[in-house]
Each structure stands twice: as C-alpha cells, then as structure tokens.
Amino acid sequence: MTGLDTLSHLTYDPAALRIGAAHIGMGAFHRGHQQTYYDDLARAGHRDWGVAGINVAPPDIAAVHAAQNGVYSVLAEDQDDCTLRRIGTLRRADDRPDPCDPLWDEIGFATLTITEKGYCHVSGSTMLDTSSAIAADLATPDAPVTAVGFLAAMLDRRRRNGGAPITLASCDNVASNGALLRGVLTDFVARTRPGLVGWIEDNVAFPDSMVDRIVPRMSGASADRLARAAGKPDALGVVGEPYRQWVLADRFAQAPRPPLEEVGVQVVPDVEIFEYMKHRMLNGLQSAFAELGRLAGHGASHEAATDPALVAWARRFLAAQAETLTCPPGENLADYAATTLHRLANPTIVHPLAQIASDASFKLPQRIFAPAADRLVAGRDVALHASIVAGWIAQAGDATPDRYGVTVSDPGAARVAIARDAAGSARAVADAVIRAPLFPEALAASAVFKVQVADWLELIRAGDPDRLRARLRDDTRSDAHA
Ligand code: CS2
C-alpha cells in the first residue's frame, strides 16, 4: 500500500489543535476531501486549524465522533494506488448546534457542503424558494433547521457582540456558489432580520470555490474494506478516490484564514471557469451515466464507465462539453476528459447511479441544460444532451430501490412525472416538460431539441437496453468533429 508509512499515523496531537475553522455539512465528502487539506496543514506544523463541524440535518455523527475522539481514516484507492490516511483535524462535531454558541465568534473562516438543495433557492436564481425547507426558518428564525437559517442566527449574534468579519466559502456543486450563498442569506435576512443586511455586506466575504473528489456515501461493503485496511471498524471513516482538487477565489474577509495554498489548494482570481469545467465535464458525465447507465442496466458509475457503448458515447459527450468551456489556466481539456473517464472507471469506488441521479432537478440545469443552451446558441448539435434529458424524464419519480438499496430522491421529480404521465405521445411529453424557467430559454424555444428528446423517449419507451446501448454507441450526431 503506497503512502502507508507517511499518512497512516498521526504526526500531531489532535487535542493540541486550536479550533480556527468551521464547516457546515460533515458528510462523507467533507471528511474525505477538505479534512485531508486541514490534515496536511497539521502535518506541516500548523496548530491553529482544527475544525468545528456542524450538521444542521441528519445523518447525525456527533456520537460516533465522540466515541473515537474525532480521529478516523480515509482510504483512497484507484486502479493504480491505495493510501490510508489517519485524520485528527475534525476537532468538534455538533449535530444541530446552538447558533449562539460563543465558539462561533472565534471563527474567521467557514466552509459549507450542504448539497444543491441545501440553499433552498429557486433553481437557476439566487432567490429563496419559500416553499422549501426555509419556510420553517422564516416562521421561527431563532430555531433554525437549515444552514441558511443557522448562519443568519450565528451572524446576528456576532454583529450584536461587535464581532469580527468572517469568510463563508460555499463548496457545493452549484454555479457561482459564493454568489448563491450571499443571495439566499441576504434574501433570508432581509425578511427576518433586516438590520443584519448591511453588516453582512460590510463584514462577510463569500468566495466561490470548486472542490472535487469522488467520495460516495458509505455502504456496508466500503465500511468492510476500510475496516480491513485500518485493522478495525471506523464508523467515521470514508472511502474515496485518490484524486482531489480545491480551487478557492482569492476573496477573503479581514479575518484569519488557513493558509490552504501551502497544501495544494489553488487560490485564484476566477473560480468560475474551473467550476464550469468540473460541472460540465466530470459532473455532467456522472449525471449522464446516472440517467443513461441505469437505462442500460447498470447500477454503479464504474459499470457504466467500462461499458464500451457508453464509453464511445462519453468520449463524444466530453468533447461536446469541452466546446462550451474556456480552458482554465494550467488545465488541458483533452487531458481532463481522459482523466474523467479513468476516474469514473475506478472499480474500487462503487458510486451508485441512484445516488448521483438524486436531486437531478438541481443538478441537471448547470451540468446539462446550460451547456446544451450554449451549444444551440453557437449553432451546434444537442442530440447527446437530448438523450440525457429523455432519460431523466422517463425515470423521474421512479422510487424503486436499486441493487445497492439506494432510491433516487428528487423533490423536483414529482412535477416532471405528473407532466409526463398526463401528456401522452413522446412529442407531447417533451413539449410539456421542456419549459422555462427550469430549462434555459434557448432550449425551451428549440423545436429541434424537443424533437430529439421525443425521439430518445420513443426508444426508451421500447424498453430494450441493447437497442439503447447500440444507439448510444453509434449515434454520432453530436460528434464534436461531425
Ligand atoms: C456527484 C458528485 O452525486 C453527485 O452529484 O456527481 O457528488 C461528485 O461525485 C463530486 O462532485 C465529485 O467531486
């Protein structure tokens, strides 16, 4: 096992770390990605960047965290490499903590991974969706149940105590995530604590951030693999791939922050082009596999990424997505495409397609719809994108658990399923579902796109995975070079 000697033992005393940063959303991703950077800082001798973790929603981890003193392992494995890293930087873990805890006054840098729907926004905007979970916090802002409500209460106490500025870095897979966090927080505060709006403007920085590492939710099988590698069960530990990337906008509040650039985080003026690359290529292909791979009979990402028909399709898709991008400095989009396929083919990471398909109505707009609209505007073909949209429409609302016991959940799916089931013919379904505002105007107005979606829907309705795979393999209409 590579890296065993260097990383599998702690080289610092976790209890001696000062808590200087906070994170909201201590799911598998945070524990397997961002904590590895804090761990690198501690290993490099920094003692001020222990992290206080907060969960505003289940699953709860405080009890598990306490039982192992917050120390856990990350098993990172792929076709070529396997590393076990012991981590001691998640110093506190609070499930639904008090936003008025004086601890938060000491924090100058906090990050968030609360999933796309955690922002409670109207998809495609920075406005609150008042019919989402935020409704409860709008009614009782002092007893928050959402991250937005928690931050508002925490910042209000800070302001009243003459508190210092703070950086809040959203790290979710949402375009311009810093602007989104600022937007929903300002909207919420304007409705509940208007006196706080100006203070936030003056004292809170919202840098955009792009984070990347495939870390699926833990399963029984991954827990067993981790236990074998670590020599004992580890209920806080996670299994992920070795690849990792964190790009953070150089826009911080006048407050102490971890020197993340010392451990490989790219601090850059413009994160957006990195976000677009990741959302459209890596996440776009994951979502494409989630829809088309399930229809072709696959259960996990690596199965789809090693099916020759889907691989042929994926190469064309990645080239088509790349045509909508500006290449970020230091990147090469052809290499990024090859790395993406290699990462998704990693057989050691079982990433259920049903997990990726969850919340598709929040994910597809930036991963699939926006690049498709850009292609249409540029006079390019969108048949590949139409196949994904058709797959999503055909499967929306299907609550059958997959072979890993995972069920697709998407609050936006019910509306799609109702429109689909009422419409009748494939063309009528495409017309009924593809409407602005969820779809960009260019797509909603495109008769060609709707015909292509209807065409794929017909094929999917035929229910023959082999025909579908053959068509995916051979249909070169969106070949970037055609
Ligand atoms: C995945 C992401 O479930 C999903 O939506 O596409 O969690 C993906 O694995 C990460 O963004 C990788 O960094």
Side-chain angles (χ1 to χ4, degrees), residues 129-178:
D129 173 358
T130 51
S131 67
S132 70
I134 203 72
D137 288 359
L138 287 167
T140 49
D142 290 331
V145 295
T146 70
V148 174
F150 176 88
L151 284 173
M154 187 266 271
L155 293 175
D156 199 30
R157 179 198 138 92
R158 200 172 174 107
R159 172 186 65 101
R160 283 187 278 105
N161 291 348
I166 183 169
T167 298
L168 297 179
S170 162
C171 301
D172 281 291
N173 279 334
V174 197
S176 307
N177 47 18

Side-chain angles (χ1 to χ4, degrees), residues 1 20 38 83 92 120 123 173 192 211 369 375 380 413 424 447 453:
M1 194 176 281
Y38 286 107
T83 308
R92 258 179 77 149
C120 304
S123 188
N173 279 334
T192 52
V211 290
F369 305 166
R375 287 185 63 80
R380 294 190 158 117
V453 170

Side-chain angles (χ1 to χ4, degrees), residues 15-368:
L17 297 179
R18 202 183 69 78
I19 294 179
H23 180 82
I24 305 184
M26 295 173 285
F29 179 82
H30 172 69
R31 305 202 299 279
H33 176 277
Q34 293 171 302
Q35 283 297 329
T36 65
Y37 291 91
Y38 286 107
D39 179 64
D40 280 342
L41 284 176
R43 287 174 188 272
H46 292 283
R47 295 287 175 262
D48 288 336
W49 301 108
V51 181
I54 298 159
N55 265 352
V56 293
D60 293 351
I61 70 161
V64 164
H65 182 274
Q68 42 193 85
N69 290 324
V71 177
Y72 67 94
S73 295
V74 175
L75 179 65
E77 197 174 357
D78 68 2
Q79 297 91 327
D80 316 308
D81 201 11
C82 181
T83 308
L84 187 73
R85 179 198 282 258
R86 200 105 177 105
I87 293 188
T89 39
L90 185 58
R91 292 316 312 137
R92 258 179 77 149
D94 288 301
D95 298 320
R96 280 160 296 289
D98 178 3
C100 292
D101 187 325
L103 171 75
W104 314 128
D105 298 346
E106 308 299 315
I107 305 284
F109 181 81
T111 47
L112 291 88
T113 50
I114 55 173
T115 77
E116 290 88 341
K117 72 171 177 247
Y119 292 83
C120 304
H121 65 299
V122 175
S123 188
S125 83
T126 62
M127 278 164 16
L128 282 177
D129 173 358
T130 51
S131 67
S132 70
I134 203 72
D137 288 359
L138 287 167
T140 49
D142 290 331
V145 295
T146 70
V148 174
F150 176 88
L151 284 173
M154 187 266 271
L155 293 175
D156 199 30
R157 179 198 138 92
R158 200 172 174 107
R159 172 186 65 101
R160 283 187 278 105
N161 291 348
I166 183 169
T167 298
L168 297 179
S170 162
C171 301
D172 281 291
N173 279 334
V174 197
S176 307
N177 47 18
L180 174 63
L181 179 59
R182 181 203 293 274
V184 289
L185 193 57
T186 306
D187 190 351
F188 180 75
V189 159
R191 295 166 193 250
T192 52
R193 297 180 172 91
L196 187 56
V197 174
W199 189 88
I200 290 181
E201 246 164 53
D202 295 340
N203 293 283
V204 186
F206 298 92
D208 285 343
S209 176
M210 184 273 255
V211 290
D212 192 6
R213 180 171 238 185
I214 298 172
V215 187
R217 206 176 298 164
M218 287 297 279
S219 65
S222 45
D224 288 347
R225 275 192 30 243
L226 177 62
R228 271 197 304 279
K232 58 180 180 208
D234 180 350
L236 200 55
V238 292
V239 176
E241 63 170 347
Y243 183 100
R244 63 173 192 171
Q245 186 175 24
W246 186 351
V247 188
L248 184 57
D250 191 2
R251 236 179 25 242
F252 301 100
Q254 292 291 329
R257 68 159 179 98
L260 290 164
E261 57 276 53
E262 287 181 22
V263 288
V265 175
Q266 295 160 262
V267 176
V268 305
D270 179 12
V271 174
E272 202 173 61
I273 51 179
F274 289 91
E275 283 180 334
Y276 274 37
M277 175 180 72
K278 187 212 171 196
H279 295 162
R280 294 182 176 196
M281 294 185 73
L282 177 87
N283 294 143
L285 186 58
Q286 288 179 304
S287 286
F289 282 161
E291 302 305 340
L292 301 171
R294 283 186 299 145
L295 289 169
H298 301 301
S301 200
H302 69 283
E303 297 165 16
T306 46
D307 174 336
L310 287 172
V311 171
W313 182 93
R315 291 212 170 93
R316 298 195 301 276
F317 173 74
L318 289 169
Q321 294 288 78
E323 285 183 332
T324 70
L325 297 170
T326 301
C327 185
E331 301 284 350
N332 171 314
L333 296 179
D335 292 349
Y336 192 86
T339 304
T340 292
L341 262 174
H342 186 70
R343 289 172 65 193
L344 297 191
N346 179 353
T348 72
I349 302 296
V350 177
H351 201 176
L353 295 175
Q355 185 187 338
I356 301 167
S358 289
D359 294 333
S361 55
F362 290 91
K363 296 173 179 174
L364 297 184
Q366 71 210 359
R367 299 180 180 192
I368 308 299

